[in-house]
Amino acid sequence: MVSQKGTRDRPAWEERLRPRHAAVVAALGHRPQDTGGHWLLGPRGPAGPAWSRGSGSWNFWRFIFRKNLPPTSLCQTDFAVLGLGDSSYAKFNFVAKKLHRRLLQLGGRALLPVCLGNDQHELGPDAAIDPWLHDLWEKVLALYPVPLDLGVIPAGVPLPPKFTVHFLPEAPMIRSEEQPGASTDPPGPPSEQQPFLAPMVSNERVTGPSHFQDVRLIEFDITGSGLSFAAGDVVLILPENAASHTQQFCQVLGLDPAQTFTLLPQEPGVPCPARLPQPCSVRHLVSHYLDIASVPRRSFFELLACLSPHELEREKLLYFSSPQGQEELYAYCSQPRRTILEVLCDFPHTAGAIPADYLLDLIPPIRPRAFSIASSLLARPSRLQILVAVVQYQTRLKERRRGLCSSWLASLDPGQGPVQVPLWVRPGGLTFPETPDTPVIMVGPGTGVAPFRAAVQERVAQGRNGNFLFFGCRSRHQDFYWGAEWLDLEKRGCLTLFTAFSREQEQKVYVQHRIRELGPLVWELLEHRGAYFYLAGNAKCMPADVSEALTSVFREEGGLSSPDAGAYLARLQRTLRFQSETWA
């Protein structure tokens, strides 16, 4: 299974792929021959081989693409590749497609064509994956029949839980409010297993009071963390559920927040979650680990139906988890963005009967959120800044939908007392040229300007000129992020700034319009001065519009035909002189 959007979808689809009989699935660190002729569960990472060095995904990817592997390496291996992606990204399911082709090149036999699940489909990835999984199990069982002496767990009966929960008679002295492994003085580089508890220094709204969106500039003190980062890197933050939601969840399920427990794995080789202390309180489990604010997948309803003792509720849950009920499930859950907590409130008899052993199977863990780092250590030593747009929107549900991480961050006020946020850093998708005389063209509308603020700070501190920034927003008075800073740098000759304030005139003007207007300069920088071009921001329409504006410049200023202009842009991308970091 390959996930384009990181690990968010992993728990649900791992559950869907758990066989109801014996099967061998290769771990990522294993070589293909270790699978015993069975099928492979492919790398689970983002849309490109950008996993952590040394991880199973990284090792698997490097091994499978070694040039000296003979073309018969997988001649005795059957495989199937399932991709989870989002068609709003330019390279939709890129890794799944590339892995499928590579396994074929090495002699593997594909049980099925590669499956490309799409988050943008109105029914979600299930629309493609349901029929694919049905065909997959038919193929697998035909090739590797279930032994006669091995029973098959019937449909409607839940698989055994991965963990058992052992409640302790007395609460031991534990600091359940802290992240296990988290530290203000970590012995090694901060990571997901050992994040750094960064003190929040400031949390400032940077949009005007009448602006429709609340955007925050947040600064952390990373003194003593061992964190190091460069322009283009990202910081990952682990959010918490709201205290009111934690309390409501415990009430609906009949759990005592103060009760403590230990976990015991039920499958060989499966460790307890590293982010949960042992022992752990129910309050810590719910507030720090279970993603009760996420929109549930179909697998959630499948397992919940198996656990329900209430006939009417079980009947509805079974319908939601059936192929026939997908349109109604979409209307009930995905379309209005109903959360796991809200679903459990709608099925109170079932929620109150959920065994504690199944909580970690039923509800996925909270995943870290990535933010572009908006500052440079060269300009602000021992500090790390991010620009956060607080996600809020209305659906047909009464309560407004809120982004878990952005809303949690916005609620923190260091002026009221010490605030610590668990975080760590990883390389981002943007890398800037090391040669001092190479110009950079940066296009960052809205909060997409964040990584370029870090880049400009870094390059100015290094004495590098040739910094060209295209920035777009609605109004210079409402959401012109770091406007005064840009203008000051421009006066000092450190930056050339081009702005597009879309709502300040009758005809809307966006960054792509400015690129077309400044076509001669853009062509001169790219063709004659070897400039690098960077793009960051929302993935919906802007990247395609900017790419079209560029190809238009190549045609008009460079005299290229349409095919040649497209090839020129592709060459810039291939040589990393055109880089983008966009998000849905």
Side-chain angles (χ1 to χ4, degrees), residues 234-303:
V234 298
V235 61
L236 290 102
I237 292 176
L238 272 172
E240 299 175 15
N241 288 309
S244 59
H245 289 170
T246 298
Q247 181 180 4
Q248 185 180 14
F249 179 89
C250 291
Q251 289 176 346
V252 172
L253 271 71
L255 297 170
D256 178 3
Q259 182 76 56
T260 58
F261 64 91
T262 57
L263 285 177
L264 184 63
Q266 295 301 292
E267 297 180 2
V270 175
C272 290
R275 282 165 40 195
L276 287 180
Q278 290 273 38
C280 180
S281 72
V282 170
R283 179 180 289 105
H284 183 94
L285 171 71
V286 181
S287 63
H288 288 74
Y289 190 79
L290 298 181
D291 198 359
I292 60 176
S294 64
V295 178
R297 297 286 189 180
R298 178 177 165 185
S299 58
F300 171 87
F301 291 91
E302 290 175 346
L303 180 55

